[in-house]
Amino acid sequence: MSGQEGAARGLSAQRELWADASWRRWVLAVTCARLCATMMPFALLLAGEAALGSFAAGAWMTSVYSVGAAVAAPFRGRMMDRRRLPEAMRLPLLLLAGLCAAVAVACAVRAPLPVLLGLSLLMGVLPAGVFGAYRALLPSFLSPQKLAPAFAIDAVLIEVTWIAGPPLVGALALVHVSLTLGIISAGAVLATLASRLLPPREAPPASSPRAAGLALGPFVHGLPLLVYVAVVGAGVSWGAVDSALPPLLVQFGSRAEMWGALAALLSAASAVGGLVSASAARPASTSAAVWRSLLFLGLWGALLLPLGLTRGVVGAGGWLIAAGFFLAPLVGLLTYLLQQALPADRQAEGFSLYGACWSLGIGAGSALTAVLLEHASARAALALSGTVPLVLALVLALRVRPWLRAAASAPSPLNDARARAPGADAGASAP
């Protein structure tokens, strides 16, 4: 298939997808929920600084929130797999709305750091698993042919919420930090209402006997393991950027709230990259998709490396735009590869573990930034943002062949589809 034919098929698949009313309702619901998540790290950073006068305190709040989400997500996701969706997502979203109000009150009365950390932890734990459940809903109302463009566009939709979230936090914080938490609370309520429009998904039959504890067998080898490791590295880089750039902007003579505008630029570039990726010809095989994802991970890290050397807002914005162009394409490839490798009855759990890896990476990056802000500098913390994903991409590239062999031999929807397709030797596997 020529590049032009592949691009034409990609555009046709996108048009068919947007004609699906259930897809449009899903986009509405998940966007409301994701807006809460994209606002939260910056909101907690500013809330901690406003309450206790320290960016390090805000970075610790962000870290605890992210680590709490990471630890709880696999368990909460497994619970979602065993319940009817989307009903199972409504209570966690409402609890998140209430906790936002509690954090706003605690910051207003300048509660001590342990209280703020405890509330931040609950904000991460209680809604964990919700985003995995949203992705687990997709195969229940989309045909297999629509899943590839759906996950590619989903990566762009994530960037759209990142375009809106941090700038909204920055603008509201100029009035009062508590307004940011109020908008997050309202977003959680709107997500709850929008979820009522989604088609229901009954719990699928178990592919294996239910284990009493957390059984990670399907997730710790082959493609899932590669995806999770790559996501942790990308999360560390994002956590470092998200926590270290605001204090560095203050050193430039600007305001910490300017990070919202810079984050929007990064996400806009990422959305453009995602749209280009969704319209381009697909990789010819699973192996090609994996190698492309590692290339994008390495480019994301390499283009973030100069951030620690920049001397002004314009330079920082330029490097963020350059790096951001590869973020949504990376996410689109990783999520699609993961969906194809997961058992049908464990998709919410598997995608929740994916979200947990992001949160774990962000939490680790934020915690390391908090330590470096106290004992070194914001520039030292920013060195993490590029070094970690770049080194990880190189290491994974050296170890990827055994994982690809395991993925090729394991039963999965991806391998089954390729076996049935005409000309399967050159079949398409990822956006």
Side-chain angles (χ1 to χ4, degrees):
M1 180 188 302
S2 69
Q4 289 183 340
E5 290 173 341
R9 288 185 60 178
L11 291 172
S12 175
Q14 290 185 55
R15 286 193 293 268
E16 291 178 8
L17 184 63
W18 285 107
D20 190 317
S22 295
W23 163 256
R24 296 196 300 270
R25 296 187 187 106
W26 183 89
V27 168
L28 173 64
V30 78
T31 299
C32 290
R34 280 178 177 157
L35 191 60
C36 301
T38 58
M39 293 177 68
M40 190 69 76
F42 192 23
L44 290 178
L45 182 74
L46 295 180
E49 195 277 335
L52 301 177
S54 167
F55 279 113
W60 281 119
M61 290 173 64
T62 299
S63 177
V64 167
Y65 160 79
S66 300
V67 172
V71 172
F75 298 94
R76 301 284 289 169
R78 194 172 193 194
M79 182 199 73
M80 297 283 181
D81 273 325
R82 296 178 175 182
R83 297 183 59 188
R84 193 171 190 259
L85 299 178
E87 284 87 343
M89 299 185 284
R90 293 172 187 163
L91 179 59
L93 288 169
L94 291 175
L95 290 173
L96 175 62
L99 283 168
C100 286
V103 172
V105 172
C107 289
V109 300
R110 299 185 181 276
L113 183 59
V115 173
L116 296 176
L117 292 179
L119 290 172
S120 299
L121 179 66
L122 289 175
M123 292 174 78
V125 169
L126 292 180
V130 166
F131 296 110
Y134 273 118
R135 282 196 172 112
L137 273 171
L138 286 176
S140 67
F141 63 84
L142 291 181
S143 66
Q145 292 76 18
K146 290 181 179 178
L147 284 176
F151 280 102
I153 293 174
D154 182 46
V156 176
L157 294 173
I158 293 173
E159 298 311 321
V160 170
T161 58
W162 277 108
I163 291 171
L168 185 57
V169 172
L172 293 171
L174 292 174
V175 181
H176 200 280
V177 171
S178 63
L179 289 177
T180 66
L181 295 166
I183 293 298
I184 295 173
S185 180
V189 172
L190 287 174
T192 305
L193 296 175
S195 295
R196 298 180 67 88
L197 302 175
L198 298 177
R201 189 214 72 167
E202 301 295 339
S207 59
S208 60
R210 302 286 192 185
L214 183 65
L216 298 179
F219 311 133
V220 294
H221 59 79
L223 281 180
L225 179 59
L226 184 147
V227 169
Y228 294 142
V229 172
V231 165
V232 170
V236 170
S237 70
W238 182 264
V241 170
D242 199 34
S243 300
L245 257 185
L248 185 62
L249 291 171
V250 174
Q251 294 178 26
F252 290 159
S254 183
R255 297 182 62 104
E257 290 82 2
M258 179 61 69
W259 165 233
L262 292 178
L265 287 175
L266 186 158
S267 297
S270 182
V272 171
L275 290 172
V276 171
S277 178
S279 301
R282 301 174 185 176
S285 66
T286 302
S287 176
V290 170
W291 284 112
R292 188 180 293 186
S293 67
L294 293 180
L295 174 63
F296 291 159
L297 179 64
L299 288 170
W300 159 257
L303 292 168
L304 288 177
L305 275 176
L307 274 178
L309 304 175
T310 54
R311 298 294 177 183
V313 175
V314 174
W319 288 112
L320 288 171
I321 290 171
F325 185 81
F326 299 99
L327 183 57
L330 170 65
V331 171
L333 283 167
L334 293 178
T335 51
Y336 182 70
L337 286 170
L338 183 60
Q339 191 275 330
Q340 294 299 297
L342 293 175
D345 66 315
R346 302 193 69 177
Q347 298 225 340
E349 182 182 358
F351 277 118
S352 294
L353 186 57
Y354 171 92
C357 290
W358 267 110
S359 296
L360 181 63
I362 291 172
S366 299
L368 290 169
T369 299
V371 172
L372 291 170
L373 288 176
E374 292 175 338
H375 302 289
S377 67
R379 292 186 185 278
L382 282 172
L384 293 170
S385 66
T387 303
V388 170
L390 179 58
V391 171
L392 184 60
L394 294 174
V395 171
L396 290 176
L398 295 174
R399 300 293 303 272
V400 73
R401 294 191 186 279
W403 288 355
L404 288 174
R405 286 195 295 268
S409 62
S412 73
L414 178 60
N415 293 330
D416 292 345
R418 291 183 65 202
R420 292 192 301 267
D425 290 341
S429 65

